Amino acid sequence: MNILQPWNVFFLVGFVVYSWIRHVFIERTRGEKKAVSRFDGLEKILLTAMVPPILLLPVLYLFTPLLAFADYRLPMFVPWIGAATMVASLWLFWRSHTDLGQNWSVSIELRENHELVTQGVYRYVRHPMYASIWLWGVAQGMLLQNWFAGWSVLPAFAAMYLLRTPREEQLMCELFGEEYREYMRRTGRLCPRIRIKRAD
Ligand code: SAH
């Protein structure tokens, strides 16, 4: 079974940490009432489409021989980079949950008394949590040496990111108006905006 290989064990440990972080923040925000929810049909499809790549395919790959036809070998150094990427992803995932605090939700939603967070990692980028999921997708591909279990997070999350982010930003603009638009001007979506200071 694939689970006996060290990089696969590493992936599994990372996955447990990832799920634990989510669980902690679902519990912490459980009591927070929602003022606006855009948890519609599209959101349900996008979230459901993330379950096979994040959970189902890795489980099939790790614990059954069903996906063995799509196994392949990567050079030795690649999983090392994957492991470092996973650690970075988990750190950013945890930090962005912590910084959002009670304002976090799994879908596009606003809480009662929702506050605009522009501190911590949100000081530099508007979507650090999505950045952490991109990193996770790359890490999974570098650790699980199977075309389906390894690389399927990236297309599924690309769809979610491209369709959700503009809607989320629009909702934030509706609530916070000029404050959010100004925040957009000084931050990047996934990477910090580089400012070149003029000499004059
Ligand atoms: N897109 C962000 C947050 C994902 S969680 C990220 O990638 O880090 C999704 C919820 O977070 C959204 O419904 C929105 O209400 C909330 N949110 C997003 N950015 C926020 C911010 N800067 N301050 C407060 N809430 C925010």
Side-chain angles (χ1 to χ4, degrees):
M1 262 204 307
N2 286 320
I3 185 58
L4 301 174
Q5 291 162 20
W7 289 123
N8 293 340
V9 174
F10 187 92
F11 171 82
L12 204 61
V13 172
F15 183 77
V16 170
V17 175
Y18 179 96
S19 311
W20 175 78
I21 295 171
R22 262 282 139 99
H23 170 75
V24 167
F25 284 89
I26 287 173
E27 288 304 314
R28 273 192 203 172
T29 52
R30 195 178 283 285
E32 293 293 317
K33 294 220 169 62
K34 289 160 193 168
V36 181
S37 177
R38 301 270 156 97
F39 188 48
D40 54 13
L42 178 63
E43 272 290 294
K44 282 179 192 153
I45 292 170
L46 293 172
L47 279 169
T48 310
M50 287 298 289
V51 176
I54 289 266
L55 182 66
L56 199 63
L57 293 172
V59 165
L60 288 180
Y61 166 73
L62 292 172
F63 297 103
T64 78
L66 286 173
L67 298 180
F69 68 94
D71 284 353
Y72 67 103
R73 279 276 149 262
L74 283 168
M76 283 272 283
F77 68 91
V78 175
W80 283 99
I81 300 174
T85 309
M86 180 169 280
V87 171
S89 160
L90 285 172
W91 177 82
L92 194 53
F93 194 59
W94 168 76
R95 258 318 296 246
S96 47
H97 275 89
T98 308
D99 289 339
L100 268 189
Q102 302 306 105
N103 303 294
W104 174 75
S105 52
V106 81
S107 183
I108 310 176
E109 285 160 345
L110 293 173
R111 306 279 180 180
E112 281 179 7
N113 306 318
H114 202 101
E115 285 171 15
L116 178 62
V117 176
T118 58
Q119 293 305 314
V121 277
Y122 287 85
R123 186 182 177 138
Y124 308 101
V125 282
R126 298 196 293 285
H127 302 289
M129 200 176 291
Y130 298 159
S132 76
I133 299 172
W134 279 117
L135 288 176
W136 180 272
V138 172
Q140 186 165 320
M142 289 180 166
L143 287 167
L144 303 185
Q145 304 193 25
N146 176 278
W147 287 112
F148 292 104
W151 294 106
S152 52
V153 170
L154 292 179
F157 187 64
M160 170 171 260
Y161 177 77
L162 292 173
L163 293 170
R164 181 194 265 198
T165 313
R167 299 177 75 209
E168 186 178 316
E169 293 193 338
Q170 195 191 335
L171 184 63
M172 299 303 282
C173 282
E174 282 168 26
L175 183 68
F176 296 105
E178 190 50 31
E179 194 184 357
Y180 192 76
R181 277 187 281 275
E182 208 282 311
Y183 173 60
M184 285 173 91
R185 282 193 283 276
R186 62 174 196 269
T187 51
R189 268 188 169 173
L190 296 173
C191 298
R193 196 161 269 187
I194 298 165
R195 281 165 186 263
I196 301 163
K197 276 202 177 152
R198 292 222 233 124
D200 53 42

